[in-house]
């Protein structure tokens, strides 16, 4: 079996680390050799956060180099553009259409770019873009965008939904479990 590489990208505070723990736990439970590497950057200040998850029969490194990523799960449009060069030919970017202003936009030094996803599509990238914020809010919290995205990504795998939910039970605190299950369902069914 070939090694599969997934990048989970977003900005600090969006829950990308929980998403990577969910994926890593699921894949380990499925018997894969899994390597996870988290790069926090300036996550406390809304900076870019990227997590690499690689799995297969035997994985030697957690790092994904340019042009070898099979899937990018992006919590925000600019982050999808920032890491698109890591995608291999034939790979897919799953992206939340939410826009989170980076610091230069917040301070007025720049404007949020328009046409980010359209530019990526024009360059030939396979983009699966959708609003993950609305279903997260319907599930109970805007903070559940991460789990909506993971539910959506789950459809790209051959791992049954029940196993994803079992992994979710292992990584989410009990008081937030039902909300996260609802968020996962909305992503999976959406």
């Amino acid at each position: 079996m070939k090694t599969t590489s997934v990048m989970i990208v977003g900005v600090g505070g969006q829950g990308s680390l929980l998403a990577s723990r969910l994926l890593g736990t699921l894949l380990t439970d499925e018997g894969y050799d899994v390597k996870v590497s988290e790069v926090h950057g300036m996550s406390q200040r809304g900076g870019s956060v990227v997590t690499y998850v690689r799995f297969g029969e035997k994985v030697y490194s957690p790092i994904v180099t340019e042009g070898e990523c099979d899937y990018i799960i992006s919590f925000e449009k600019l982050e999808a553009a920032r890491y698109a060069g890591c995608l291999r030919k034939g790979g897919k970017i799953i992206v939340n259409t939410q826009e989170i202003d980076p610091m230069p936009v917040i301070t007025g030094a720049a404007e949020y770019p328009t046409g980010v996803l359209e530019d990526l599509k024009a360059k030939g990238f396979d983009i699966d873009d959708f609003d993950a914020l609305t279903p997260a809010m319907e599930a109970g919290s805007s903070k559940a965008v991460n789990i909506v995205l993971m539910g959506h990504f789950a459809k790209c795998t051959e791992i049954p939904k029940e196993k994803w939910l079992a992994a979710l039970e292992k990584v989410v605190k009990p008081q937030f479990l039902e909300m996260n299950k609802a968020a996962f369902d909305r992503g999976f069914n959406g």
Side-chain angles (χ1 to χ4, degrees):
M1 168 188 198
K2 82 172 194 77
T3 297
T4 300
S5 300
V6 179
M7 292 176 66
I8 300 172
V9 302
V11 290
Q14 286 190 291
S16 59
L17 300 181
L18 174 60
S20 67
R21 278 198 313 273
L22 170 60
L23 184 56
T25 298
L26 169 76
L27 295 169
T28 300
D29 288 351
E30 288 296 295
Y32 292 103
D33 183 26
V34 181
K35 301 288 186 278
V36 178
S37 176
E38 300 168 350
V39 179
H40 298 273
M42 292 185 60
S43 59
Q44 269 64 34
R45 299 184 185 266
S48 182
V49 177
V50 59
T51 304
Y52 306 100
V53 180
R54 300 188 73 220
F55 65 99
E57 189 173 326
K58 183 65 182 159
V59 179
Y60 296 97
S61 170
I63 303 301
V64 177
T65 59
E66 190 168 321
E68 76 170 18
C69 188
D70 297 285
Y71 297 97
I72 296 175
I73 303 168
S74 180
F75 291 25
E76 198 272 340
K77 295 193 300 189
L78 282 180
E79 296 303 312
R82 180 188 316 267
Y83 293 104
C86 294
L87 199 67
R88 72 166 172 76
K89 187 174 184 165
K92 178 186 280 265
I93 300 175
I94 297 170
V95 59
N96 177 20
T97 55
Q98 184 177 3
E99 295 177 1
I100 297 178
D101 291 339
M103 196 54 67
V105 173
I106 292 170
T107 62
E111 291 185 18
Y112 195 98
T114 59
V116 172
L117 297 180
E118 293 75 12
D119 289 347
L120 290 173
K121 289 175 183 177
K123 291 176 183 173
F125 287 102
D126 182 1
I127 307 289
D128 181 357
D129 57 317
F130 73 104
D131 170 17
L133 181 59
T134 299
M137 297 292 288
E138 292 169 355
S141 174
S142 62
K143 292 183 178 188
V145 162
N146 56 349
I147 304 302
V148 171
L149 282 164
M150 295 310 290
H152 198 75
F153 171 68
K155 296 186 290 188
C156 297
T157 72
E158 296 179 5
I159 300 172
K161 179 181 171 183
E162 296 74 29
K163 292 188 176 190
W164 281 87
L165 293 173
L168 193 62
E169 290 177 7
K170 292 181 178 183
V171 298
V172 172
K173 293 179 181 176
Q175 65 265 36
F176 302 116
L177 185 58
E178 290 310 312
M179 177 189 66
N180 280 281
K181 283 183 174 180
F184 185 90
D185 283 341
R186 283 171 169 75
F188 190 85
N189 297 322

